[in-house]
Amino acid sequence: MTNELDIFVGNTTLIDEDVYRLWLDGYSVNDAVALRVRSGILEQTGATAAVLQSDTMDHYRTFHMLERLLHAPPKLLHQLIFQIPPSRQALLIERYYAFDEAFVREVLGKKLSKGTKKDLDDISTKTGITLKSCRRQFDNFKRVFKVVEEMRGSLVDNIQQHFLLSDRLARDYAAIVFFANNRFETGKKKLQYLSFGDFAFCAELMIQNWTLGAVDSQVDDMDVDLDKEFLQDLKELKVLVADKDLLDLHKSLVCTALRGKLGVFSEMEANFKNLSRGLVNVAAKLTHNKDVRDLFVDLVEKFVEPCRSDHWALNDVRLFLNQYSASVHSLDGFRHQALWDRYMGTLRGCLLRLYHD
Amino acid sequence: MPGKLKVKIVAGRHLPVMDRASDLTDAFVEVKFGNTTFKTDVYLKSLNPQWNSEWFKFEVDDEDLQDEPLQITVLDHDTYSANDAIGKVYIDIDPLLYSEAATVISGWFPIYDTIHGIRGEINVVVKVDLFNDLNRFRQSSCGVKFFCTTSIPKCYRAVIIHGFVEELVVNEDPEYQWIDRIRTPRASNEARQRLISLMSGELQRKIGLKVLEMRGNAVVGYLQCFDLEGESGLVVRAIGTACTLDKLSSPAAFLPACNSPSKDMKEIPFNEDPNPNTHSSGPSTPLKNQTYSFSPSKSYSRQSSSSDTDLSLTPKTGMGSGSAGKEGGPFKALLRQQTQSALEQRGGSPHRFCRRREFPFFTLTAFPPGFLVHVGGVVSARSVKLLDRIHNPAFVGIMGNTRSYKLLDWNSFNADEPETRDAWWAEIRQEIKSHAKALGCHAVVGYSESTSICEEVCILSASGTAAVLNPRFLQDGTVESCLEQRLEENLPAGCGFCHIPYDELNMPFPAHLTYCYNCRKQKVPDVLFTTIDLPIDATVIGKGCLIQARLCRLKKKAQAEANATAISNLLPFMEYEVHTQLMNKLKLKGMNALFGLRIQITVGENMLMGLASATGVYLAALPTPGGIQIAGKTPNDGSYEQHVSHMQKKINDTIAKNKELYEINPPEISEEIIGSPIPEPRQRSRLLRSQSESSDEVTELDLSHGKKDAFVLEIDDTDAMEDVHSLLTDVPPPSGFYSCNTEIMPGINNWTSEIQMFTSVRVIRLSSLNLTNQALNKNFNDLCENLLKSLYFKLRSMIPCCLCHVNFTVSLPEDELIQVTVTAVAITFDKNQALQTTKTQVEKSLQRASTDNEELLQFPLELCSDSLPSHPFPPAKATSVDYSSFADRCSSWIELIKLKAQTIRRGSIKTTVTVEKASPMSEGNFRNRSAPPCANSTVGVVKMTPLSFIPGAKITKYLGIINMFFIRETTSLREEGGVSGFLHAFVAEVFAMVRAHVAALGGNAVVSYIMKQCVFMENPNKNQAQCLINVSGDAVIFVRESELEVVSSQPPTANCQSSCPGGDVTT
C-alpha cells in the first residue's frame, strides 16, 4: 500500500514556521523529516513518521508554489490563490529574503553574475550552508539588485517598496546592492575579521554622503553609484600631505589639542604623518575604479592595522579622528574644507566601525 | 425581454507573458452572453492592462439570465496568427436576479484555463436591470432563492415548508462526442464546463418553477449532483426543500417562537388550540405570508392526484391490532385532515407546512424546535442499474456557438432518457416512502440521494430519517400559547423525538424497547440511528464523536448484467456488515445514538467499498448501551479462552476509557446499577438486557442467539478475530481534539472564532498480490485512520479544537486505486469552559441552547429573557437582531420567566467570559496582524465552512448560491510536481475562485460549502492527468459579534452594521 497522492489544502494556507525554516535552509524532504523527528515532535504529538513525512511533503509543495510569488512579494499580497493572513505573509517574505552572515560575507562586493553563481558550490562547502540555500540567497541578492539598480529615489525605499522587507532587512539589502555595484573587495584575509554589519554600516554612510543622491535626489542610480565628481575632487586633498608646512601645522594642531588626553599620545605623535598620509592617499586614489574596490583593504592596511599594532584604544581612535578632521578647519592655506568634511565625515564613521579585533 | 445585463471590463493584472520576444502581452477581452459577443480594445504590451471598457449591454430573456453563465475570455492579440486564449471566467449571474441578494458583482476574478490553471486576474463589474413584468406566467423562475444550507437560513424564518422538489436534466457528455477526437483537450474541457454550467442553470430554473407552482419562494437544502455516466451521458440532478421564507430584518417582524416540542404526540390532536383567546395578542405586524397563500383549487387538485400515493398517512390495517395502533390510526387520519384543513382555511398561519407532493421528503437536517415530533430511524434504498448509451443524433455538434440549452429541453425531443432516470429515482423514493411508512412515520427528513458509477453499472442510493412532524405547526399557535406550553412541559423536552412512532406490538424490525429514561412515559428504542443533526433541544450526556464503519468486498470482474447481479447480491451483506460495525463501534464508545449517518457504497471494477460516517452521542433518554461480549466457540481450549478473556478485558478497558474521554457519566447508572460503572461483562449484559426488556427480573441470556444481539461477538474464526481487532485499532483523536460529522459537536458549545476549512485527498495503490477481503479492509481502514491522524497533526496548532462536518468520500478511480476525499472544518473552542462539566443538567441545556442559538431556526426562549433587560446587543454568542426584534414581546414575558432568571443569568455571564477569553487567543493566532510592510493587502479574507454558521459571528445577508464546476487537465504532470502537485494546485485554485466570486458579490464567507465531486484520473505513462471538481455553498455577509459588541459598548456609535461592510472584515 503506497500513497499515490496525498494532499491537504486549507482555506487559510497553513504555514509551519519550523518546516519553512528547513525548506529555506535547503533540506530535502527526507532530511527535513529526519530533523523534525530529532526535534522530538513525534513524542510531543504522538504522530508517526509517516504522518510527519506527509505533512512535510505538503508544506514543501506549498512553499514551492509560493516561491514564484515570493520572487515578487507585492504579488503575494495581491494573489488570490493562497489565503494567508498579512502577518504570515510578512513572515514568509522576511524569512525568504533573510540571509546567512557566513554566506553574505562570501559574496559581498562580488559581481552578482553567472560566474559567481558557479562558485556557490565552494561557498556551500566552505560555509556548511546547503547549495540550495546558497542559490536562494544569491538569487535574492541578484533579483533585488536587478530591480533597484537603475531606479530613481532612495535605495532603501525602493527595496522596501518592491520587496516589502522590514526596514532593517531593506537596509542590509541596500548595502549588498551598493557593495555589489561598486565591487568593494571584502574577501581578503586581512578583512576577514569584519562582519557584514561593519560593511553595511559603512555602506549606509557612503550612500548617504558619497553618492550622487547625496547631492541630487533626482538622478538615476543615485544611491548606487559613487559621485564621480566628488571622487575626482578628492585629489585636491593631497595638498594636506604633499605640502610639508601644512602637514606639520596639521600635526601640531592635533598634538596640541590631544596632549594629555590620549593614552597613546607618543605613538600617535610618532605615527601622525604616516597615518595622515595613508588617509589622504586613500582619498586621492579613489579616482581609479581599482582603488575604489580596494578601499576597505587600504583603510585597514593604512590605518586600522598601524593603530592596532600600537594598541590604540577605541576611544583614542575616536579622539584622534575627531581632532584630525576638525583641525583642518584651522589650516588657513587649505581651501577644500567642504570636500574634506564630506570625505572625512564618512571616513571617520567607517574607521571607528572598522576598528575592532 | 425582461432583463438588461450590463458588463464592464475594468482591468487585468498579473497576466502571463504571451509574447516571448517582448516578455509582455497584448491582451483584449471577449464578453459573451448567449449568442452576443462584445470585445474590448487591445491593450498593448502590458501584463497589467487597463481596459476600462464601456458598459457592454445584453438584452435578454430572464430565462436566459437564469440558464446562461456570463463568459469572459481573455486573449492575446496576434497580428499574424490566431489569437491565443489566456483563460476564461464564468460568472453565474443568478445572485443578481433576486432582490434581497447581491445588487452588483464587482471584483477581481482569477482567469482560469483548464490546461494552465489560474493565469492572472481580471476586474469585472456586472449589473442586471430587471423589468417589472416578472409575475406573469413564464418559463423562468427569477426570484426564487436557493440555499445549500440544510436548515432554515439564519436571517430568515420559515413561513411554510412546502416539501420536496426534484428535477434532473440529461445530456450527452461532450468528452464522449465524436468531435472530441478532433478538438483540443482545452476545447473539450471548456465545452464540458460550459455545458454543465448551462445544465445547472436550467435545472435551477426548473426547480424554481416548481417552487413557484407550490407558492414557495425559496429552496433550502438544495443539493445538485452530476452523474458522469461516461458514454451514456451526463446527468445533472437536484433535490431540495421548497419553503416560503420571510426575512427577519425588520425589528417588528413576527418571529415564530413555538419552541415547545410536544412531548407526547397522542395528546396533540385532542388538545386543539389550548389557548383560544390568544388571537387577541397575536402578531403585531400584518402577516406577510398572506401573499403566499394557496389558491385552494390548485392545491386541491394536486392533493387528489397524489392521494393514492399518500398512503403513508393511513396505517395499514394489519398494524392496527395493538392498542397503540388503534390510537394511532384515528390520530393519523386526523393529522391528515388537519393538514388539509390548515392548507385550505388557515392561509395566514405562520407555522404551516404542507406535504402535498408525492414524496413527503425534506432535505433539511435541522428544524425549528418542535417541528420534529418523533424519529423512527434511518430508511435507505439502493438500486443497481445498467446504463444505456444515449442515441440521439440531434446532439452531435451542439457545442458550437449554438444555444445548446434549447436543445437540452428534452420535452421537445423524442428522447426518453430523463424519464428513465426519473423513473429510477421515483422507484427508489417510493421505496423510501414505504420504509418510512413501515416505521409508522409520514415523513422523511435529512433526505439525500447519491450515485456511484463504474463503467456501465450505476448504484443509486437514497437515505433519510423516517419521522413524524408536528401538526401544531398547522395551527394558529401564537407565541404566548407556545410559551405556556413550554413552561408546562418544560423538563421532558429533549426526549420526545426519541419516542417510537411505530406500533409497539407490530414493530417493523426487532428492537428492544424501554421506557424513556427522561420522562418515563413513552417507549424508546435501545439505539437510534438518524441522518439528521442532533436536535438542539435533545438532552445529551457527555460529548459526541465521529464513528466510521469501513468495509471492502472483492467482486469478480464482470460485464453488464452479470456485473449488476453480482453487485446486487453483495449489497445486502455490505449493508448488514456496515450496520454491525457501526453498532459495535457505537457500543465501544459507550454511546447509544448516531446522528448525521451517511452510508456510501462505492462500486469499482473489482470491489465494492462501504463507508459509513456518523456522529455518536449518548442521549439521556435512551438506555445505557450494553458492553460488547465476546464468546468463543471452542471453550475447551484453555489458551484460547485466555485469549478470549484477554480480548474481553481489552474491550472493556476501551469502553471505560471512551466513557471517560467523552465524559459519559449518566446519573442513572449510579442509581440503578449496583456499584461500579463497569460491572463484570456477563452481569452487565444481563442487566442491560433486562432493562431493554423493561422488566425487573433478570432473564437468562442466550448469547449465541444471534442477530438481535449486536453486541455479542463470536470469534469462531479468523475473520471474526480480525473484526474484533479492527474495532480496537480505531485510535481516539489526540487530546484536545474532537471530531464529528454533524453541524455542531454535541457537548461542545463554547466556540471561539478561529476556523479552518480544508480538503484533503489521498489515493493509495493496492498491491494486486494480496487482494483478499481482509487485506483490503485493513488497507482501507489504515487509509482512513492515517488520514485522520494526519489531519490531527496538521491542525495541532488549533488545539483545543473540533473537526466538524467531517465528510469522507470514497471513489475507486481504477482497479487498484482507492481515493478518499475529506472536507471538514476545524473550529477552536475555549477549553476552560469545556472543562466545566459539573454543571447541572438544566444549566447545561440552557447553556447549550444559548450558544447553539446560531443553529436555531427560531429563537430560544431562555436567551432572550436574560439578555433583553440590560443589553441591546447581548454578550452571549447569539444573533443580535433576533433579540431586538424580540424586544417588546419578551418584556411582557419577563414575569413568567422570573423563576428561571437566576440560572439563566449565571449562564450568560459564563458566556461573556468565553468571548473575552477568546479574543486574545484568536489574536494570538494571527499575531501582529498589522505588520508594517504588508498591511496594505487588498485581498479581503473570505471564510469557507461546510457548516451553516460562523462561530462568533452573525450572518447578516445571504447573497446567493455558489455552484461551480471546474476541469483541470495537464500534459506535463511531472513538471507540475506529480499527481500531488497537480491536485494540490488545482484544489487551491478552486478555493481561490470560490473566494473571488464571493468577494465579488460583496460577501466575506461561504457557508454550507461542500465539495460534491472530485474526480481524479491520471495516466502517468503519458504524463497526463485530469481532474473535475464540483463545489457549492451559500455566499454570505457576516459580522463578528465581538465587533457588534465593541460598537454597542460605545454609546455614541449609531449603526454598527453599516460600519462593518463585507469585504473589510478580516480575521
Side-chain angles (χ1 to χ4, degrees), chain A residues 1-7 9 11-12 16 52 54-55 58 61 65 77-78 80-81 83 85 87, chain B residues 13 756-765 794 796 927-928 938 942 944 979-980 984 992 995 1018:
Chain A
M1 188 182 88
T2 47
N3 278 357
E4 281 274 302
L5 185 157
D6 180 8
I7 60 156
V9 189
N11 183 36
T12 305
D16 186 310
L52 206 59
S54 141
D55 179 65
D58 250 330
R61 254 198 318 274
M65 286 189 262
L77 259 66
H78 296 287
L80 303 174
I81 298 178
Q83 184 158 275
S87 64
Chain B
R13 69 181 183 198
Q756 166 73 288
M757 189 282 298
F758 59 85
T759 289
S760 185
V761 184
R762 259 185 206 194
V763 176
I764 57 160
R765 185 176 291 280
K794 283 201 166 285
R796 65 194 186 282
R927 79 195 107 110
N928 51 41
T938 54
V942 175
M944 291 168 76
V979 285
S980 296
H984 192 147
R995 287 193 302 256
E1018 57 166 325

Side-chain angles (χ1 to χ4, degrees), chain B residues 856-868:
Chain B
L856 283 190
L857 304 157
Q858 291 166 343
F859 198 68
L861 181 61
E862 290 89 342
L863 233 150
C864 58
S865 62
D866 79 299
S867 55
L868 271 166

Side-chain angles (χ1 to χ4, degrees), chain B residues 38-55:
Chain B
F38 292 102
K39 282 181 191 175
T40 65
D41 298 333
V42 176
Y43 195 92
L44 290 170
K45 304 206 179 306
S46 173
L47 298 183
N48 300 293
Q50 305 290 319
W51 292 289
N52 234 328
S53 79
E54 57 186 301
W55 284 100

